[in-house]
Amino acid sequence: VTSKLDTSDYSTTGNSFFQGPETATFTLTNSSNKVLVTANFMLYMDARSGQYLSNAAALYRGNIASGTKISTGGQPMHYRSAANATEYYIAFNTIQWLDTPGGNTTYSLAVKNNNNNGLAAVIKGSQQTTSITLMEVAV
């Protein structure tokens, strides 16, 4: 078992996945085993635009630029704001995935804003430690 913790914030207004604040590297003792990847983080949204907003987070094997997105389904986090209302959302989130990397690998947490309105998707490590925990699972 290995774990990586970070208390820094990460923000993006882009609608493509961007490298988040946390990565962790793991070396399997048996290359045929799997890795259970668990990421815990706070996601913040400033929903003052009076429209539906959506953030998403995902796990990658490797980094965002050259790695492979491994988590599927369940990542989008949707918010609804009344017209011209000031609403802020902070929610604790967990993404967990059982991966078959076939050897040594690094895992990354990514975040994106699914809208083009310029509002930020923010992982708030300053309010709750962001963590990635990797556990080898024998098969």
Side-chain angles (χ1 to χ4, degrees):
V1 175
T2 185
S3 183
K4 184 81 186 287
L5 303 173
D6 196 337
T7 57
S8 60
D9 294 344
Y10 176 81
S11 177
T12 179
T13 57
N15 60 357
S16 297
F17 279 110
F18 284 85
Q19 187 80 35
E22 196 58 68
T23 62
T25 301
F26 195 70
T27 302
L28 291 170
T29 59
N30 182 332
S31 63
S32 65
N33 286 345
K34 296 180 182 280
V35 177
L36 180 62
V37 184
T38 304
N40 293 295
F41 56 97
M42 296 291 284
L43 190 65
Y44 166 88
M45 184 63 160
D46 177 352
R48 291 182 285 176
S49 65
Q51 59 182 297
Y52 286 99
L53 304 173
S54 176
N55 286 345
L59 294 171
Y60 276 72
R61 185 186 314 121
N63 61 37
I64 306 310
S66 60
T68 302
K69 181 180 167 194
I70 61 169
S71 59
T72 59
Q75 303 102 342
M77 296 149 219
H78 298 278
Y79 306 88
R80 174 67 172 117
S81 173
N84 300 317
T86 300
E87 300 179 28
Y88 303 94
Y89 299 89
I90 299 179
F92 186 74
N93 295 277
T94 298
I95 299 177
Q96 194 169 57
W97 195 260
L98 187 61
D99 189 38
T100 308
N104 305 342
T105 194
T106 297
Y107 292 92
S108 300
L109 177 61
V111 65
K112 72 175 180 174
N113 180 346
N114 287 335
N115 303 86
N116 292 318
N117 58 13
L119 295 179
V122 183
I123 291 179
K124 295 294 285 184
S126 62
Q127 297 192 20
Q128 174 68 42
T129 300
T130 300
S131 68
I132 293 181
T133 303
L134 307 174
M135 181 184 303
E136 186 168 2
V137 179
V139 292

